[in-house]
Amino acid sequence: MLSLREKTAFYFEDIQTNLGLALNLTILSLILVSLGIFVALTYPLSPQLSACLRSIDLTILVIFTVEYFLRFWSAASRRKFFFSIFSIIDLLAILPLLLLSGAIDFSFLRIFRWFRILRIIRFWRLETKLFGIKTEDGVIFIRIFLTLFSLIFVYAGLIYQVEHNVNDRGLNNFFDAFYFVVVTMTTVGYGDVT
């Protein structure tokens, strides 16, 4: 019989059972909702809606923090878990919550929230279940698409965080940063905006 710690570790990695699949899909959904909220907050919103979205985002960040500590607690080798790439990505995503302090301004750490999208890498083995892909070529295509989308999204987030405060005329919102990254990566040029 498995201990509670072993069961916890099993369900975080499992996608074959209903509970494991539901848990992993819930985490994936929260990642996407969190990213959607951050994108929405780059646009002008009413103070009430903005406060509501920030509350939802904080709740999701608390859930990610609990998930991180549950994964750490249930890991077979905590040292190996702590230094794994997924653990580092998770830690960077929750770092702003862990370092909340009134004495020091940690707002610059908001840039790490964009690493949440890299957590989707954890779910690459879900593509056969989610998309019903049967061929190896289909799996490869989905992985390439998710990798490119993740890179573009992370770079757009980094560009927005770094440039928005000094170049708010050129980068008004997330879509402007996303456009900048896509045009830069594809090297088609900026003729339409100059």
Side-chain angles (χ1 to χ4, degrees):
M1 178 131 182
L2 294 175
S3 68
L4 179 61
R5 186 174 153 188
E6 292 169 327
K7 284 182 183 176
T8 304
F10 172 76
Y11 285 120
F12 273 126
E13 299 302 322
D14 174 58
I15 58 168
Q16 301 302 321
T17 64
N18 289 336
L19 182 59
L21 183 62
L23 178 65
N24 283 292
L25 287 177
T26 300
I27 293 168
L28 180 60
S29 299
L30 288 175
I31 292 169
L32 296 175
V33 168
S34 174
L35 294 172
I37 289 171
F38 193 83
V39 168
L41 288 174
T42 66
Y43 291 87
L45 302 171
S46 69
Q48 297 85 3
L49 181 59
S50 180
C52 179
L53 290 177
R54 289 182 199 282
S55 297
I56 294 169
D57 193 44
L58 181 61
T59 303
I60 292 172
L61 191 55
V62 168
I63 292 169
F64 286 157
T65 305
V66 170
E67 178 218 357
Y68 178 82
F69 285 113
L70 282 173
R71 283 184 188 273
F72 180 77
W73 171 74
S74 66
S77 169
R78 292 184 178 139
R79 182 182 186 88
K80 185 178 176 184
F81 170 81
F82 185 77
F83 290 106
S84 73
I85 187 70
F86 292 129
S87 177
I88 292 169
I89 290 170
D90 289 349
L91 187 60
L92 288 174
I94 65 171
L95 205 55
L97 180 68
L98 298 176
L99 297 177
L100 285 179
S101 169
I104 300 172
D105 182 18
F106 288 107
S107 62
F108 69 93
L109 291 175
R110 290 179 304 169
I111 202 163
F112 292 124
R113 76 174 57 204
W114 290 100
F115 288 103
R116 289 181 197 170
I117 198 165
L118 295 178
R119 292 171 49 135
I120 291 176
I121 295 169
R122 210 188 271 278
F123 302 101
W124 277 356
R125 63 186 183 280
L126 275 175
E127 67 257 331
T128 55
K129 280 228 181 237
L130 288 178
F131 303 112
I133 299 171
K134 305 286 188 224
T135 66
E136 191 172 324
D137 289 341
V139 171
I140 291 169
F141 175 75
I142 290 295
R143 287 182 178 176
I144 289 171
F145 175 77
L146 286 176
T147 302
L148 287 174
F149 181 75
S150 297
L151 287 172
I152 291 171
F153 203 90
V154 167
Y155 283 128
L158 292 173
I159 291 293
Y160 179 79
Q161 287 287 28
V162 171
E163 288 290 325
H164 175 69
N165 292 331
V166 294
N167 187 15
D168 61 347
R169 275 190 7 206
L171 293 171
N172 294 322
N173 51 51
F174 179 80
F175 179 75
D176 292 341
F178 191 83
Y179 174 81
F180 173 80
V181 170
V182 169
V183 169
T184 302
M185 288 179 67
T186 57
T187 67
V188 295
Y190 305 95
D192 60 328
V193 292
T194 56

